[in-house]
Structures are given as C-alpha cells and as structure tokens.
Amino acid sequence: MPAVRCVDVCKTYRQGELEVKGLDHVSLEVGEGGFVCLSAPSGGGKTTLLNAIGGLHRIDSGEIWLADRRIDGLGKGELASLRLHQIGFVFQAYNLIPVLTARENVEFVMEVQGVPPDQRRARSMEILEEVGLKGLEDRRPAKMSGGQQQRVAVARAIASRPTLVLADEPTANLDSHTAEQLMELFVELNTRHETTFVIATHDQRVMGYARRIVRMLDGRIVDDTEQEAA
Amino acid sequence: MIRGKVTLRLAWRNLWRNHRRTLIMLAAVIVGAWAMIFSTALMRGMVDDMIQDGIRSLPGDVQVHHPDFRDDPSVVNSIAPPTDRLLGVLEQPEVVAWAARVRVPAVVSSERNTRGVTLVGIDPDRERELSFVADDMADGRFLESAEDQGLVVGRKLLERLETDLGKRVVVMSQDEKNEIVDRGFRIVGVFESSMQAREDGFVFAGKATVQRLLRMGNRVSEIAVLGTDYRHVEGLRRRVEEAAGPGVVVQPWTELEPYLASMMGMMDGFVLIWIVVVFLALAFGLVNTLVMAVFERVREIGLMLALGMTPAHIRAQIIAESTLLLALGLAVGDVLAWATIEPLKGGIDLSIVGEGMELWGASAVLYPALRWEDIVLANVVVILLGFIASLSPAWRASRFEPVEAITKV
Ligand SMILES: Nc1ncnc2c1ncn2[C@@H]1O[C@H](COP(=O)(O)OP(=O)(O)OP(=O)(O)O)[C@@H](O)[C@H]1O
Ligand SMILES: [Mg+2]
C-alpha cells in the first residue's frame, strides 16, 4: 500500500478576479519508505502539493490518501491529530515558536503527543547533536542564524518519529557541508525506520540523494524519474 | 487531550514577551482586586456594626418569648425564668451572654411631662455583655443589681421630660389583672445611643424591682441569648428551643428584626454587584490585551495548528494566558488587601465626618471586616468572568488558517 496517494488533485487559488492553478490534475503515488524529491521552479506548486498531502489545504477535487486513509474531507480535529501523530513537517517560511528554546521547539510535538519527559529530552538532545546544534539547546530562535533555525525545524520534524516527513526546502539557508549532513541523516532515517520522505527543493545537492525525482511545472507533474541514489 | 504543562509554559512565556503590556494589565488587576476586597471589607464593617448594634439594642441573636408576647407585649404574656435544662444550654461556650428581662409598656411622668416608653427590668451584670446601655452611660451611674431602685433613662427622654439626673419620676404600668400599678423612681443614670429611638423609648430599672412593681413573682418577658456569630444562629436557636420546652416561642433575630435581616441579605447582593462592576472595568483592558496578543501571534498560532495542535488546544492556550494573568494579579491583590486591612482592624476613626454617619445608625469608628467568603467570592467572580471574557479572543485565535502562517514569507 502506498504511503501517499494523490488522485487527480486540483487546487485553484482565487484572489479576487485572478485565478491561479496551484495543482492541476496531480496524481502521485509514493511507496512506503519512499524517498522522493519534488523539483520545480518557483511557483511550480511544490508547497501547495506538500500542504495538500499534509491536510493543510482544502483541495477542489480529487482524492488524497495517506496509507489506507482518505484525508481530503476530514474535519479540522481529525486532520490535526493526523498531523500530530504521523507527519513530520519542515515548513518553508515559518517554523519555530519564538518563546521556546531550540530544545523545547524540538520537543514541542512530542510534548503535545504526550511522550514522557525523560524520553523526550533524550531524543531531542540526541537529534540536536546530530544536526550539529550541540551547545545551542537553550537558545531561542531569535538568537540563532537562519541555518541554525532551519536545523532546529528539521530536528523537530524527525524527533517525533513520524511515518511521513514533508520537508519544504529543508536545505535553504544551509552551507554545503551542513546540507549534506542533513541529507545523510534523512537517508539514514529512511533506511533504518522506513520513514517516507517527500522533499520539495530546487537544490541539486538534495536531488542527488533522492531515489526518485518528480518534476512539476505550473501545478502539473511533467516528469517522474527513478534514479540511483548517490 | 490538552497538555497542561506545555500550555502553561507557553502561557507564562507569552505573558512576559511584552513586559510593559503585561505589567500594566497586571497592575490593573491588582488594583482591581485590592479595591474589591478592601472596599467590601469597609462596607461589611459598616453593616456589621449597624446590625450588631441593632441586635444589641435589646434583642440578642435568639430570644424566648410567650407565644403572644409579640402581639401584646404586656405582663400577661410572661414566661417562667430559665429552667435548669435551659440553663444547661445557656452555659455552653457557644453562648456569649444571656439575660432574662422584664419588658412592658409603661408611662413615665415628671412634674412637667409624660411619655410612653418601654420599661425594661434588667439584671445589670448579665446585660453588661449583651446590650448597649452599660457602655453608653453618659452621666450618673448604671444600675448596680437586679434590686436597684434607680432608673436609667436616655438623654433624649430626659430632655423631653424636662427633668434631670437625680430627680424623681413616676413610672406607671399594669399588672396581670390589668390593675394600674405605679412607683416613684430616682433617675440615677443617663445613657446616649447612636439611635434616637433608643434614647427616647427605653427606661431601665432593676429586674426584681420591676417584678415586684408588676406583682409577677419571678416571671420574665423574654430570655435573650447572644451567640458567637449573628450570621449563623439556627443551630443555637434549635438547641434553645429544645431546652426551653413547650409553651414558648424561640425566634432568631432575623424574625424579630426583619428590617435588619433584609439589610444583611441586601448587603450580600450588593457585594456581588460591586465586585462584578469593578471586574467590568477591568474586562475592557483584559479583552483588549488578549486580542492584541492574539493578533500579534497569528503566525505562531497558525504554526501550532499546522503541527497538529487542535483548535481546542489553541483556545485553552489563550484562556490559560488570561487566567494566569488574572490569577497572578489576584494573588498579589489579595495579599495587598489583607496587608492594608490588617493594620486597620483596630478601627478607623471617622469622627471627623461622624456627625452625619450617626444619623444612619453607624458609629464613628469603622471596623473593617475582612471575610474569607468575600475574598473567595471576589476571586471566583474574577476568574469566572475572566474566563468568559477570554472566550472570544480564544475563539478567534483557534480559527486562524494554519497555511497562512507557514507560507507567507
Ligand atoms: N495563498 C495563495 N494565494 C494565491 N496564490 C497562491 C497562494 N499560494 C500559492 N499561490 C500560487 O500558486 C502557485 C504555486 O505556488 P507554490 O507556493 O505551491 O509554489 P512553489 O513551488 O512552492 O514555489 P517556491 O519555490 O517559490 O516556494 C504559484 O503561482 C503561487 O503564486
Ligand atoms: Mg514553496
């Protein structure tokens, strides 16, 4: 059973008179344990697709399935619970709660899930070290660089051990070395825990790690290639 | 499920993110809480004083009478003095004081004037703790025993009779057979009272002397019992009633003095209204603060929703912030109120404005009465109404669209 299945999904943004096709009859299947890159020029529809899969958008038509569950049409509460327990997010624009420290941000999802404190703490410390933020655990976002904040967001997305990670430009703001480290971490989680990854990016370094690249243009899928991962 | 700890931590941090705004709001809550409790204590003190004074003017918290005494307070409707069984109850610590009195309508005549009064035959030692006269002696002496032959009258009555301390007057009444009885008394003492009707309407003589005059043996008109708390007299009343046996009625002061009782009830309502009014003044600031705080945080609230917090979580979050702020303000306000009332326990001298106050039956020294029921009421009302006031901002926050927050750059 595929981890993610989109069937003929359409989503149109309306701004007054103007209509923009965010998703134009998109169909996509990602197998369990898949590692997929969405690649498109700016405005191609990457973010829209990730948000639709994550239940953050209402779609106009089509179906979205996560494993055996159809999620378009679920209520707000059900979608929230789904996101909380199954999906790890790295958002494109805004990720961290400003009043919480790096560690507390990483633990936030787990805390809402109800993971016991010591377990939470152990996991957040471990992952923060893996993303290269050891020593910065008690900093608040305002006192960190864009790249550091990005890594905290990634750490949060994977700390709760979701079955699906949706990452929107996770390597933006990162230097090559850190970006590679991060991707290696993703790959490791992907192989070790069978976590499914869907990563939106136009970063060539990222695409190198993917086993499959889906290219989009103007809200449509224009190319879908399997490749040997680096 | 709503995770209390993370909610509280976020609430606390969010409060201190805009120090100035929070401190201003906090100051308002503190002052509001203080004002509620402090002024309530003053009002309570004033009304307590009026009621207690009223009860002490003669009644006592609980009274034993002949069933017909209230309709016809004459010597015919007298009762036997306390039996041993009743004395057993009256000697309990829940009774602060008790007294048996003779109380009949009478006429007092001086050489110039005649006035209708209530003649009260008392046992002075017992009345000292019970009624006002002993404390309020202005001139001469108080009665010394139940056998005392002298008469104590109010200042006002003295003026009306156009007589003076040391002069003789004649007191006239009826005995059980409706025969006129009279006796000459020397005025040995003059009392003053904050209520004119008292100065005007009561004369006091020794109980035994009055009993002899009325040829009533050792019978009395009423047995008055003063308990420890005038607000809760039902228990005492029931025990007195059981011990007093049949043939008498035992009534609480609330029945004997319905006007005073209704004042007490009104006061409770008034305190609640007052607390609510002060809160409403606060509520505008509170709602405003919350709405500002919510709209400043559109993005992070959206983020929390996107990460899987439910709208209910978000509502709880905003309500927690509001409640935390109020609880903090209340705690400080409570302590402040206590700290400012405690030193005033000894009484606030109002004699500068005292003349006017006494007309209302209040005395010139005000004893603030800090009651924990009032503190609890103020706190509960503020928290409860605060909860209601924060519902609307909380509701708005929970309706934010998560995508808006995380996609806008
Ligand atoms: N809230 C919105 N209102 C109107 N149009 C929108 C909105 N969000 C996205 N769009 C439009 O939908 C199309 C797809 O946008 P989307 O953000 O999905 O692209 P993207 O591939 O993520 O781009 P980028 O690489 O810049 O993040 C674009 O034309 C964009 O202008
Ligand atoms: Mg995007």
Side-chain angles (χ1 to χ4, degrees):
Chain A
M1 189 189 312
V4 179
R5 189 155 67 94
C6 301
V7 185
D8 214 23
V9 174
C10 292
K11 159 99 189 157
T12 308
Y13 292 106
R14 283 182 193 80
Q15 280 187 324
E17 296 288 286
L18 208 67
E19 288 197 354
V20 181
K21 286 219 156 96
L23 295 175
D24 190 1
H25 299 279
V26 169
S27 293
L28 175 72
E29 274 188 21
V30 181
E32 213 170 305
F35 198 106
V36 177
C37 253
L38 291 177
S39 157
S42 185
K46 304 181 294 289
T47 299
T48 308
L49 181 55
L50 285 185
N51 287 345
I53 295 172
L56 291 166
H57 270 322
R58 293 250 163 257
I59 56 172
D60 301 334
S61 63
E63 298 171 12
I64 296 175
W65 296 73
L66 292 189
D68 57 353
R69 190 146 177 231
R70 185 171 169 180
I71 66 150
D72 56 289
L74 288 184
K76 274 191 178 175
E78 284 171 299
L79 284 172
S81 156
L82 190 92
R83 287 197 293 273
L84 179 67
H85 294 284
Q86 293 181 22
I87 305 176
F89 280 104
V90 180
F91 300 113
Q92 185 173 5
Y94 188 87
N95 267 297
L96 303 181
I97 298 169
V99 289
L100 299 181
T101 64
R103 185 170 62 74
E104 287 165 341
N105 264 291
V106 172
E107 289 185 28
F108 179 78
V109 170
M110 289 190 280
E111 199 164 353
V112 181
Q113 284 176 342
V115 176
D118 31 342
Q119 202 176 327
R120 223 158 59 203
R121 192 182 172 96
R123 236 192 274 168
S124 66
M125 296 303 266
E126 183 193 342
I127 289 175
L128 280 169
E129 188 173 352
E130 283 186 87
V131 297
L133 291 177
K134 194 174 160 67
L136 301 185
E137 294 91 350
D138 294 324
R139 284 222 191 155
R140 292 204 185 176
K143 296 257 163 67
M144 288 189 281
S145 73
Q148 288 167 338
Q149 292 181 31
Q150 189 81 11
R151 280 179 279 166
V152 176
V154 168
R156 182 198 50 216
I158 58 183
S160 57
R161 301 258 166 86
T163 53
L164 172 64
V165 173
L166 302 174
D168 202 347
E169 313 271 7
T171 56
N173 304 317
L174 297 186
D175 62 77
S176 303
H177 177 68
T178 325
E180 274 163 28
Q181 264 186 332
L182 210 70
M183 290 314 295
E184 265 152 30
L185 185 62
F186 279 3
V187 169
E188 192 199 319
L189 287 171
N190 173 247
T191 42
R192 187 147 43 102
H193 298 297
E194 287 250 306
T195 310
T196 308
F197 280 81
V198 181
I199 304 169
T201 188
H202 37 226
D203 186 341
Q204 288 301 327
R205 296 169 306 190
V206 174
M207 287 183 243
Y209 286 88
R211 288 195 301 278
R212 180 178 164 198
I213 297 178
V214 174
R215 291 180 200 281
M216 297 179 71
L217 188 65
D218 297 334
R220 276 173 294 117
I221 292 180
V222 292
D223 185 51
D224 191 343
T225 1
E226 305 271 336
Q227 69 170 26
E228 283 297 307
Chain B
M1 215 197 99
I2 286 152
R3 299 277 154 195
K5 230 172 130 190
V6 65
T7 303
L8 272 183
R9 182 185 324 127
L10 277 170
W12 177 256
R13 301 249 178 105
N14 280 326
L15 273 187
W16 297 111
R17 144 187 223 188
N18 192 331
H19 279 83
R20 223 164 69 101
R21 191 171 61 203
T22 300
L23 284 176
I24 290 173
M25 195 55 221
L26 200 59
V29 177
I30 291 170
V31 170
W34 174 82
M36 284 175 191
I37 297 169
F38 188 80
S39 53
T40 301
L42 291 189
M43 290 189 282
R44 286 285 191 206
M46 194 149 31
V47 171
D48 270 6
D49 190 67
M50 283 159 85
I51 292 176
Q52 269 165 345
D53 230 33
I55 298 174
R56 274 166 180 274
S57 78
L58 272 188
D61 295 349
V62 169
Q63 294 196 16
V64 186
H65 288 123
H66 187 280
D68 296 329
F69 180 80
R70 291 205 74 196
D71 293 335
D72 174 18
S74 73
V75 70
V76 182
N77 295 320
S78 60
I79 58 177
T83 58
D84 286 346
R85 178 133 179 263
L86 184 54
L87 282 174
V89 172
L90 297 181
E91 297 307 326
Q92 297 297 314
E94 67 171 334
V95 173
V96 173
W98 69 271
R101 310 173 178 129
V102 177
R103 198 175 162 183
V104 290
V107 171
V108 190
S109 305
S110 67
E111 61 265 51
R112 287 176 184 269
N113 264 323
T114 296
R115 307 281 304 178
V117 293
T118 300
L119 169 65
V120 188
I122 57 173
D123 191 341
D125 292 335
R126 299 221 140 273
E127 295 292 340
R128 246 172 232 290
E129 292 180 56
L130 197 56
S131 65
F132 68 100
V133 251
D135 295 336
D136 296 348
M137 291 306 294
D139 231 338
R141 63 170 175 86
F142 189 49
L143 299 173
E144 277 156 0
S145 74
E147 304 288 342
D148 203 310
Q149 313 271 323
L151 192 69
V152 170
V153 303
R155 166 83 67 208
K156 200 84 210 163
L157 185 66
L158 201 69
E159 284 167 17
R160 299 210 182 205
L161 290 174
E162 294 178 59
T163 181
D164 233 328
L165 187 66
K167 295 216 167 155
R168 284 185 77 86
V169 289
V170 175
V171 175
M172 202 159 65
S173 189
Q174 295 189 341
D175 69 8
E176 289 191 29
K177 295 179 194 93
N178 294 328
E179 297 295 333
I180 298 287
V181 292
D182 60 16
R183 188 185 193 288
F185 283 92
R186 191 174 302 281
I187 297 174
V188 296
V190 178
F191 68 87
E192 280 172 358
S193 161
S194 52
M195 291 216 215
Q196 272 204 12
R198 271 188 227 156
E199 273 191 32
D200 214 4
F202 291 102
V203 299
F204 296 88
K207 185 172 77 180
T209 309
V210 175
Q211 282 168 333
R212 246 187 326 273
L213 169 68
L214 300 173
R215 299 195 270 263
M216 62 195 294
N218 64 354
R219 294 176 72 78
V220 295
S221 310
E222 71 186 13
I223 301 166
V225 187
L226 186 67
T228 46
D229 183 359
Y230 72 87
R231 257 170 259 277
H232 304 109
V233 294
E234 186 46 31
L236 177 62
R237 191 200 69 79
R238 241 182 303 108
R239 280 182 287 283
V240 170
E241 186 171 58
E242 276 166 25
V248 296
V249 290
V250 181
Q251 290 168 296
W253 69 270
T254 46
E255 265 174 50
L256 296 162
E257 296 277 347
Y259 167 72
L260 283 179
S262 72
M263 197 152 89
M264 191 170 86
M266 242 166 59
M267 188 59 201
D268 287 341
F270 187 70
V271 164
L272 182 62
I273 291 172
W274 168 242
I275 289 172
V276 170
V277 165
V278 175
F279 177 83
L280 287 182
L282 281 180
F284 287 103
L286 180 69
V287 171
N288 209 34
T289 303
L290 285 177
V291 167
M292 278 203 284
V294 162
F295 280 94
E296 272 171 11
R297 301 208 313 262
V298 174
R299 296 197 90 185
E300 62 188 275
I301 290 170
L303 171 66
M304 291 195 269
L305 286 165
L307 288 175
M309 274 192 138
T310 58
H313 275 121
I314 302 298
R315 285 194 287 276
Q317 183 66 52
I318 304 301
I319 290 168
E321 280 173 39
S322 145
T323 308
L324 199 61
L325 180 71
L326 289 176
L328 215 62
L330 282 173
V332 178
D334 288 348
V335 171
L336 200 65
W338 178 81
T340 46
I341 293 170
E342 203 52 29
L344 299 175
K345 273 270 167 70
I348 306 164
D349 192 354
L350 296 179
S351 50
I352 321 151
V353 288
E355 296 287 315
M357 300 288 290
E358 295 196 356
L359 282 180
W360 297 89
S363 52
V365 180
L366 177 54
Y367 300 92
L370 184 63
R371 290 170 46 196
W372 66 266
E373 292 105 311
D374 288 339
I375 299 181
V376 169
L377 183 74
N379 284 273
V380 167
V381 165
V382 170
I383 293 288
L384 216 68
L385 293 185
F387 174 81
I388 293 170
S390 55
L391 281 182
S392 144
W395 188 257
R396 288 200 226 174
S398 73
R399 312 255 312 191
F400 285 161
E401 274 302 322
V403 222
E404 299 273 308
I406 49 166
T407 48
K408 265 189 226 151
V409 183

